[in-house]
Amino acid sequence: MNQIVPLMAETTPMVDPFGRSITYLRVSVTDRCDFRCVYCMAEDMTFLPKRDVLSLEELDRLCSAFIAKGVRRLRLTGGEPLVRRNIMSLVRSLGRHIESGQLDELTLTTNGSQLARFASELADAGVRRINVSIDTLDPARFRAITRWGDLDKVMAGLDAAQTAGLKVKINAVALKGVNEHEIDDLLRFAHGRGMDLTLIETMPLGEIEGDRTEQYLPLSTVRARLEEQWTLTDIPYKTGGPARYVEVAETGGRLGFITPLTHNFCETCNRVRITCTGTLFMCLGQEDATDLRAPLRASENDALLSAAIDEAIGRKPKGHDFIIDRDHRRPALGRHMSMTGG
């Protein structure tokens, strides 16, 4: 990727109306994915036309503008980020902010399908930590949940990531009647390989074929079950994301809980999200958004872009409105998780 260095505007730190400093940016580089997880996507998805998607150079410029305004942690997401053509050119370019000290961390959330190919390059580009989504260790169930996924490829990706020196955290969505009996096995697997595990409640985003009222498994229930076999102690550990962590005495490993429904995580939210079209969502659980593509393309100077960001941060809400709609069985929001990158 040919690096474009735009004329920089004078920047100010981002502080929302509730006094929270915005230091964490999650950027979806594509809405496309090589899986079709049943809680995330419909099987027959319609993806964005390529002309609507920001170029890699535009994504670089957008990320750099946020870094200049105080973002210290940057996470690339999707869809599946590693299916984006030439994605490593963007990762390598963003790595310059790690080298300069402006960025503390450049991370990635992935389904692991392409890790065997890219793990070494990610490490060389300055990535030190990644999240890999694995909801089951049973190959047949994995195929059923992801529709298209191959667990063996993901396991090969984990091997490659750890060989490259990447610190791996496993993310698992807790699904009632699907993988709830496997949580113990996932915990043993992750901690046995020196990986943290984070459990996530299903989020009511986007229309899917299934019924989320049947999928929803409160993590309060999961924790109570785990405490019948494991000793869990709350710890103050934070990665910049919404997870609350415990230490598991028997393994010495960490277990995280992301609970948007049973216990929202809004009071300390320091995050905003950008889609691959340049739409800024100030809250994952709200529809309010700002188009950054227009000011990005309107001028080589970042003044318009910076002003649009400031205006949007001034509208960041106190919290989200996630709810499982048991009466009408509709998602809380129409957009799919693959659009905003989770």
Side-chain angles (χ1 to χ4, degrees):
M1 184 178 74
N2 294 323
Q3 184 175 314
I4 296 175
V5 181
L7 297 171
M8 298 303 294
E10 185 176 336
T11 60
T12 55
M14 297 178 292
V15 179
D16 76 3
F18 304 95
R20 298 170 298 195
S21 295
I22 308 306
T23 58
Y24 184 9
L25 177 66
R26 301 174 70 107
V27 181
S28 174
V29 299
T30 180
D31 66 328
R32 296 171 186 268
C33 186
D34 51 349
F35 289 1
R36 295 290 184 274
C37 294
V38 295
Y39 53 79
C40 180
M41 289 184 172
E43 186 167 8
D44 186 19
M45 287 289 294
T46 299
F47 294 110
L48 293 165
K50 291 184 179 179
R51 66 179 178 275
D52 291 346
V53 176
L54 295 182
S55 69
L56 295 177
E57 289 81 7
E58 288 173 326
L59 286 168
D60 183 284
R61 182 179 163 196
L62 197 53
C63 291
S64 299
F66 274 87
I67 292 167
K69 294 176 74 64
V71 160
R72 303 296 303 182
R73 286 189 170 98
L74 175 60
R75 179 175 294 278
L76 303 182
T77 68
E80 169 48 47
L82 295 179
V83 302
R84 174 80 191 255
R85 186 176 180 183
N86 295 327
I87 186 60
M88 286 310 306
S89 63
L90 175 63
V91 178
R92 286 191 294 271
S93 182
L94 291 172
R96 73 188 186 277
H97 297 298
I98 296 285
E99 294 179 6
S100 72
Q102 278 192 289
L103 193 64
D104 293 331
E105 186 176 55
L106 175 61
T107 60
L108 189 87
T109 294
T110 174
N111 64 26
S113 67
Q114 308 297 316
L115 266 181
R117 176 183 173 192
F118 289 115
S120 180
E121 284 187 76
L122 288 169
D124 289 344
V127 175
R128 296 292 173 260
R129 186 170 67 89
I130 61 173
N131 292 355
V132 181
S133 301
I134 301 177
D135 301 318
T136 176
L137 300 174
D138 179 89
R141 189 172 294 112
F142 186 86
R143 172 75 69 169
I145 291 173
T146 63
R147 292 193 181 98
W148 298 357
D150 182 342
L151 183 60
D152 287 341
K153 286 183 66 174
V154 175
M155 290 300 177
L158 288 181
D159 291 340
Q162 292 193 301
T163 298
L166 294 174
K167 185 172 179 59
V168 178
K169 178 168 74 71
I170 301 297
N171 286 344
V173 177
L175 300 168
K176 185 177 180 180
V178 178
N179 66 350
E180 59 183 310
H181 62 288
E182 287 191 77
I183 304 300
D184 285 302
D185 291 338
L186 284 165
L187 181 63
R188 290 187 185 92
F189 167 76
H191 289 185
R193 293 187 57 151
M195 303 182 294
D196 290 347
L197 171 67
T198 292
L199 303 175
I200 307 170
E201 288 176 339
T202 183
M203 296 188 187
L205 293 174
E207 294 286 355
I208 61 173
E209 284 88 355
D211 178 4
R212 283 194 178 89
T213 62
E214 296 177 358
Q215 293 179 347
Y216 173 52
L217 178 62
L219 289 188
S220 54
T221 300
V222 173
R223 176 166 179 166
R225 291 175 184 171
L226 287 172
E227 287 179 323
E228 294 175 3
Q229 298 188 55
W230 307 92
T231 306
L232 309 182
T233 303
D234 292 308
I235 57 174
Y237 176 74
K238 283 285 185 181
T239 63
R244 291 178 170 87
Y245 283 90
V246 300
E247 183 176 77
V248 182
E250 290 80 2
T251 65
R254 288 186 292 255
L255 173 64
F257 297 91
I258 296 180
T259 52
L261 296 168
T262 57
H263 182 179
N264 77 46
F265 38 71
C266 303
E267 66 273 9
T268 59
C269 182
N270 62 343
R271 300 170 296 285
V272 291
R273 293 167 171 82
I274 297 176
T275 73
C276 58
T277 62
T279 301
L280 171 64
F281 284 92
M282 291 72 78
C283 174
L284 180 63
Q286 301 277 4
E287 291 284 15
D288 190 26
T290 291
D291 172 32
L292 297 182
R293 183 173 59 186
L296 180 72
R297 292 178 174 176
S299 172
E300 292 184 4
N301 186 288
D302 280 348
L304 290 175
L305 176 61
S306 182
I309 293 170
D310 289 341
E311 191 277 333
I313 298 302
R315 303 201 314 269
K316 184 171 170 63
K318 188 174 184 179
H320 64 242
D321 294 328
F322 281 149
I323 188 170
I324 291 286
D325 187 343
R326 298 186 186 280
D327 294 329
H328 302 289
R329 298 173 183 263
R330 290 196 302 263
L333 298 172
R335 68 178 186 273
H336 286 87
M337 182 67 79
S338 59
M339 177 182 172
T340 34

